Coordinates of all heavy atoms in Angstrom, one line a residue:
R97 N -37.4 -22.3 7.3 CA -37.6 -22.4 5.8 C -36.4 -23.3 5.3 O -36.5 -23.8 4.2 CB -37.6 -21.1 5.1 CG -39.0 -20.4 5.4 CD -39.8 -20.5 4.1 NE -41.3 -20.3 4.3 CZ -41.8 -19.1 4.3 NH1 -41.2 -18.1 3.9 NH2 -43.1 -19.0 4.6
A98 N -35.3 -23.2 5.9 CA -34.0 -23.9 5.4 C -34.1 -25.4 5.7 O -33.3 -26.1 5.2 CB -32.8 -23.2 6.1
L99 N -35.0 -25.8 6.6 CA -35.0 -27.2 7.0 C -35.5 -28.1 5.9 O -36.4 -27.8 5.2 CB -35.9 -27.4 8.3 CG -35.4 -26.7 9.6 CD1 -36.6 -26.7 10.6 CD2 -34.2 -27.5 10.1
P100 N -34.8 -29.3 5.9 CA -35.3 -30.3 4.9 C -36.5 -31.0 5.6 O -36.8 -30.7 6.8 CB -34.1 -31.3 4.8 CG -33.4 -31.2 6.1 CD -33.6 -29.7 6.6
E101 N -37.2 -31.8 4.8 CA -38.3 -32.6 5.3 C -37.9 -33.4 6.6 O -36.8 -33.9 6.6 CB -38.7 -33.7 4.2 CG -40.0 -34.3 4.4 CD -41.1 -33.4 4.3 OE1 -41.1 -32.5 3.5 OE2 -42.1 -33.6 5.2
G102 N -38.7 -33.2 7.6 CA -38.3 -33.9 8.8 C -37.5 -33.1 9.8 O -37.1 -33.6 10.9
G103 N -37.0 -31.9 9.3 CA -36.1 -31.1 10.2 C -37.0 -30.4 11.3 O -38.2 -30.3 11.2
R104 N -36.2 -30.0 12.3 CA -36.9 -29.4 13.5 C -36.2 -28.1 14.0 O -34.9 -28.1 14.0 CB -37.1 -30.3 14.7 CG -37.8 -31.6 14.4 CD -39.3 -31.4 14.5 NE -39.7 -30.9 15.9 CZ -40.9 -30.4 16.1 NH1 -41.8 -30.3 15.1 NH2 -41.2 -30.0 17.3
L105 N -36.9 -27.2 14.4 CA -36.3 -25.9 15.0 C -37.0 -25.7 16.4 O -38.1 -25.7 16.5 CB -36.5 -24.7 14.1 CG -35.9 -23.4 14.6 CD1 -35.6 -22.5 13.3 CD2 -36.7 -22.6 15.6
T106 N -36.1 -25.5 17.3 CA -36.6 -25.1 18.7 C -36.1 -23.7 19.0 O -35.0 -23.3 18.7 CB -35.9 -26.0 19.8 OG1 -36.3 -27.4 19.5 CG2 -36.4 -25.7 21.2
T107 N -37.1 -22.8 19.4 CA -36.7 -21.5 19.6 C -37.2 -21.0 21.1 O -38.3 -21.4 21.5 CB -37.3 -20.6 18.5 OG1 -36.8 -19.1 18.8 CG2 -38.8 -20.5 18.4
L108 N -36.3 -20.3 21.8 CA -36.5 -20.0 23.2 C -36.9 -18.5 23.4 O -36.1 -17.7 22.9 CB -35.2 -20.4 24.0 CG -34.6 -21.8 23.7 CD1 -33.4 -21.9 24.6 CD2 -35.6 -22.9 23.9
E109 N -37.9 -18.3 24.1 CA -38.4 -16.9 24.3 C -38.9 -16.6 25.7 O -39.7 -17.5 26.2 CB -39.4 -16.5 23.3 CG -40.2 -15.2 23.4 CD -39.1 -14.0 23.4 OE1 -38.3 -13.9 22.6 OE2 -39.2 -13.2 24.4
Y110 N -38.4 -15.6 26.3 CA -38.8 -15.3 27.7 C -40.2 -14.7 27.8 O -41.0 -15.0 28.7 CB -37.8 -14.3 28.3 CG -38.1 -13.8 29.6 CD1 -38.0 -14.7 30.8 CD2 -38.5 -12.5 29.9 CE1 -38.3 -14.3 32.0 CE2 -38.8 -12.1 31.2 CZ -38.7 -13.0 32.2 OH -39.0 -12.6 33.5
E111 N -40.5 -13.8 26.9 CA -41.8 -13.0 27.0 C -43.0 -13.9 26.3 O -43.0 -14.1 25.2 CB -41.7 -11.7 26.2 CG -40.7 -10.7 26.8 CD -41.2 -10.1 28.1 OE1 -42.4 -10.2 28.4 OE2 -40.4 -9.5 28.8
P112 N -44.0 -14.2 27.2 CA -45.1 -15.0 26.7 C -45.8 -14.3 25.5 O -46.3 -14.9 24.5 CB -46.0 -15.1 27.9 CG -45.2 -15.0 29.1 CD -44.1 -14.0 28.6
R113 N -45.9 -12.9 25.6 CA -46.6 -12.2 24.5 C -45.8 -12.3 23.2 O -46.4 -12.5 22.1 CB -46.6 -10.7 25.0 CG -47.2 -9.8 23.9 CD -48.8 -9.8 24.0 NE -49.3 -9.1 22.8 CZ -50.1 -9.6 21.9 NH1 -50.3 -10.9 21.8 NH2 -50.5 -8.8 20.9
H114 N -44.5 -12.2 23.3 CA -43.7 -12.4 22.0 C -43.9 -13.8 21.4 O -44.0 -14.0 20.3 CB -42.2 -12.2 22.4 CG -41.8 -10.8 22.8 ND1 -40.5 -10.4 23.0 CD2 -42.6 -9.7 23.1 CE1 -40.4 -9.2 23.4 NE2 -41.7 -8.7 23.5
A115 N -43.9 -14.8 22.4 CA -44.0 -16.2 21.9 C -45.4 -16.4 21.2 O -45.5 -17.1 20.2 CB -43.9 -17.1 23.1
E116 N -46.4 -15.7 21.8 CA -47.8 -15.9 21.2 C -47.8 -15.3 19.8 O -48.4 -15.9 18.9 CB -48.7 -15.1 22.1 CG -50.2 -15.2 21.8 CD -51.0 -14.2 22.7 OE1 -50.6 -14.1 23.9 OE2 -51.9 -13.6 22.2
V117 N -47.2 -14.1 19.6 CA -47.1 -13.4 18.3 C -46.3 -14.3 17.3 O -46.7 -14.5 16.2 CB -46.5 -12.0 18.4 CG1 -46.3 -11.4 17.0 CG2 -47.4 -11.1 19.2
A118 N -45.2 -14.9 17.9 CA -44.4 -15.7 17.0 C -45.1 -17.0 16.6 O -45.0 -17.3 15.4 CB -43.1 -16.1 17.8
R119 N -45.8 -17.6 17.4 CA -46.5 -18.8 17.1 C -47.5 -18.5 16.0 O -47.6 -19.4 15.0 CB -47.2 -19.4 18.3 CG -46.3 -20.1 19.3 CD -47.1 -20.9 20.3 NE -46.2 -21.5 21.3 CZ -46.1 -21.2 22.6 NH1 -46.9 -20.3 23.1 NH2 -45.2 -21.8 23.4
A120 N -48.2 -17.4 16.1 CA -49.2 -17.1 15.0 C -48.4 -16.8 13.7 O -48.9 -17.3 12.6 CB -50.0 -15.9 15.4
N121 N -47.3 -16.1 13.8 CA -46.6 -15.8 12.5 C -46.0 -17.1 11.9 O -45.9 -17.3 10.7 CB -45.4 -14.9 12.8 CG -45.9 -13.4 13.1 OD1 -47.0 -13.1 12.5 ND2 -45.2 -12.7 13.9
I122 N -45.5 -18.0 12.8 CA -44.9 -19.3 12.3 C -46.0 -20.2 11.7 O -45.8 -20.8 10.7 CB -44.2 -20.0 13.5 CG1 -42.9 -19.2 13.9 CG2 -43.8 -21.4 13.2 CD1 -42.5 -19.5 15.3
A123 N -47.2 -20.2 12.3 CA -48.3 -21.0 11.8 C -48.7 -20.5 10.4 O -48.9 -21.2 9.5 CB -49.5 -20.9 12.7
R124 N -48.8 -19.1 10.3 CA -49.2 -18.5 8.9 C -48.2 -18.9 7.9 O -48.5 -19.0 6.7 CB -49.4 -17.0 9.1 CG -49.7 -16.4 7.8 CD -50.1 -14.9 8.0 NE -49.1 -14.3 8.9 CZ -49.4 -13.3 9.7 NH1 -50.6 -12.7 9.6 NH2 -48.5 -12.8 10.5
A125 N -46.9 -19.0 8.3 CA -45.9 -19.3 7.3 C -45.9 -20.9 7.0 O -45.0 -21.3 6.2 CB -44.5 -18.9 7.9
G126 N -46.8 -21.6 7.6 CA -46.9 -23.0 7.3 C -45.8 -23.8 8.0 O -45.5 -25.0 7.5
L127 N -45.3 -23.3 9.1 CA -44.1 -24.0 9.7 C -44.3 -24.6 11.1 O -43.5 -25.0 11.8 CB -42.9 -23.0 9.8 CG -42.4 -22.5 8.4 CD1 -41.5 -21.3 8.5 CD2 -41.6 -23.6 7.7
A128 N -45.7 -24.5 11.5 CA -46.0 -24.9 12.9 C -45.6 -26.4 13.2 O -45.3 -26.7 14.3 CB -47.5 -24.7 13.2
D129 N -45.6 -27.2 12.2 CA -45.3 -28.6 12.4 C -43.9 -28.9 12.7 O -43.5 -29.9 13.1 CB -45.7 -29.4 11.1 CG -45.1 -29.0 9.8 OD1 -44.7 -27.8 9.8 OD2 -44.8 -29.8 9.0
R130 N -43.0 -27.9 12.3 CA -41.6 -28.2 12.5 C -40.9 -27.2 13.5 O -39.7 -27.3 13.8 CB -40.8 -28.2 11.2 CG -40.7 -26.9 10.5 CD -40.4 -27.0 9.0 NE -41.4 -27.5 8.2 CZ -41.5 -27.6 6.9 NH1 -40.4 -27.3 6.3 NH2 -42.5 -28.0 6.3
V131 N -41.6 -26.2 14.1 CA -41.1 -25.3 15.0 C -41.8 -25.5 16.4 O -43.0 -25.5 16.5 CB -41.3 -23.8 14.5 CG1 -40.8 -22.8 15.5 CG2 -40.5 -23.7 13.2
E132 N -40.9 -25.4 17.4 CA -41.4 -25.4 18.8 C -40.9 -24.1 19.5 O -39.7 -23.9 19.5 CB -41.0 -26.6 19.6 CG -41.6 -26.7 20.9 CD -41.1 -27.8 21.8 OE1 -40.1 -28.5 21.4 OE2 -41.7 -28.0 23.0
V133 N -41.9 -23.3 20.0 CA -41.5 -22.1 20.7 C -41.6 -22.5 22.2 O -42.6 -22.9 22.7 CB -42.5 -20.9 20.4 CG1 -42.0 -19.7 21.2 CG2 -42.6 -20.7 18.9
V134 N -40.5 -22.4 22.9 CA -40.4 -22.8 24.3 C -40.3 -21.5 25.1 O -39.4 -20.6 24.9 CB -39.1 -23.6 24.6 CG1 -39.0 -23.9 26.1 CG2 -39.2 -24.9 23.8
V135 N -41.3 -21.3 26.0 CA -41.4 -20.0 26.8 C -40.7 -20.1 28.1 O -40.9 -21.1 28.8 CB -42.9 -19.6 27.0 CG1 -42.9 -18.3 27.8 CG2 -43.6 -19.4 25.7
G136 N -39.9 -19.2 28.4 CA -39.1 -19.2 29.7 C -37.8 -18.5 29.5 O -37.4 -18.2 28.4
A137 N -37.1 -18.2 30.6 CA -35.8 -17.7 30.6 C -34.8 -18.7 30.0 O -34.9 -19.9 30.5 CB -35.3 -17.2 32.0
A138 N -34.1 -18.4 29.0 CA -33.3 -19.4 28.3 C -32.4 -20.1 29.2 O -32.1 -21.3 29.0 CB -32.6 -18.8 27.1
L139 N -31.8 -19.4 30.2 CA -30.9 -20.1 31.1 C -31.7 -21.1 32.0 O -30.9 -22.0 32.6 CB -30.2 -19.0 32.0 CG -29.1 -18.2 31.3 CD1 -28.4 -17.3 32.3 CD2 -28.1 -19.1 30.6
D140 N -33.0 -21.1 32.0 CA -33.8 -22.1 32.7 C -34.1 -23.2 31.7 O -34.1 -24.4 32.0 CB -35.1 -21.5 33.3 CG -34.8 -20.6 34.4 OD1 -33.7 -20.7 35.1 OD2 -35.6 -19.7 34.6
T141 N -34.5 -22.9 30.5 CA -35.0 -23.8 29.5 C -33.9 -24.6 28.8 O -34.1 -25.7 28.4 CB -35.9 -23.1 28.4 OG1 -35.3 -22.0 27.8 CG2 -37.2 -22.6 29.1
L142 N -32.7 -24.0 28.7 CA -31.6 -24.7 28.1 C -31.2 -25.9 28.9 O -31.0 -27.0 28.3 CB -30.3 -23.7 27.9 CG -30.4 -22.8 26.7 CD1 -29.5 -21.6 26.9 CD2 -30.2 -23.4 25.4
P143 N -31.1 -25.9 30.2 CA -30.8 -27.0 31.0 C -31.9 -28.1 30.8 O -31.6 -29.3 30.9 CB -30.7 -26.5 32.5 CG -30.5 -25.1 32.4 CD -31.1 -24.6 31.1
E144 N -33.1 -27.7 30.7 CA -34.2 -28.6 30.4 C -34.0 -29.3 29.1 O -34.3 -30.5 29.0 CB -35.6 -27.9 30.5 CG -35.9 -27.4 31.9 CD -37.1 -26.5 31.9 OE1 -37.8 -26.4 30.9 OE2 -37.4 -25.9 33.0
L145 N -33.6 -28.6 28.1 CA -33.3 -29.2 26.8 C -32.2 -30.3 26.9 O -32.3 -31.4 26.4 CB -32.9 -28.2 25.8 CG -33.9 -27.2 25.2 CD1 -33.2 -26.3 24.1 CD2 -35.1 -27.9 24.6
V146 N -31.2 -29.9 27.7 CA -30.1 -30.9 27.9 C -30.6 -32.1 28.6 O -30.4 -33.3 28.2 CB -28.9 -30.2 28.6 CG1 -27.9 -31.3 29.0 CG2 -28.3 -29.1 27.7
A147 N -31.3 -31.9 29.7 CA -31.8 -33.0 30.5 C -32.8 -33.9 29.7 O -32.8 -35.1 29.9 CB -32.6 -32.4 31.8
G148 N -33.5 -33.2 28.8 CA -34.5 -34.0 28.0 C -33.9 -34.7 26.8 O -34.5 -35.3 26.0
G149 N -32.5 -34.6 26.7 CA -31.8 -35.3 25.6 C -31.9 -34.6 24.2 O -31.6 -35.2 23.2
A150 N -32.2 -33.3 24.2 CA -32.3 -32.6 23.0 C -30.9 -32.4 22.4 O -29.9 -32.5 23.1 CB -32.9 -31.2 23.2
G151 N -30.8 -32.2 21.1 CA -29.6 -32.0 20.4 C -28.9 -33.3 20.0 O -29.5 -34.3 20.3
P152 N -27.7 -33.3 19.5 CA -27.0 -32.1 19.2 C -27.7 -31.3 18.0 O -28.3 -31.9 17.1 CB -25.6 -32.6 18.7 CG -25.9 -33.9 18.1 CD -27.1 -34.5 19.0
F153 N -27.6 -30.0 18.1 CA -28.2 -29.1 17.0 C -27.1 -28.9 16.0 O -25.8 -28.9 16.3 CB -28.6 -27.8 17.6 CG -29.8 -27.9 18.5 CD1 -29.7 -28.1 19.9 CD2 -31.1 -28.0 17.9 CE1 -30.8 -28.3 20.7 CE2 -32.2 -28.2 18.7 CZ -32.1 -28.3 20.1
D154 N -27.5 -28.7 14.8 CA -26.6 -28.5 13.6 C -26.2 -27.0 13.5 O -25.1 -26.7 13.0 CB -27.2 -29.0 12.3 CG -27.6 -30.4 12.5 OD1 -26.9 -31.2 13.0 OD2 -28.8 -30.7 12.2

Side-chain angles (χ1 to χ4, degrees):
R97 286 256 162 94
L99 291 168
E101 193 64 38
R104 299 279 302 164
L105 184 152
T106 302
T107 183
L108 312 182
E109 173 55 51
Y110 177 70
E111 296 286 347
R113 177 81 186 118
H114 296 186
E116 184 185 324
V117 172
R119 285 191 182 114
N121 286 332
I122 290 159
R124 179 175 38 210
L127 297 164
D129 59 331
R130 67 195 76 170
V131 175
E132 185 185 9
V133 182
V134 177
V135 180
L139 287 181
D140 294 333
T141 55
L142 284 162
E144 291 169 12
L145 287 184
V146 171
F153 292 94
D154 308 309

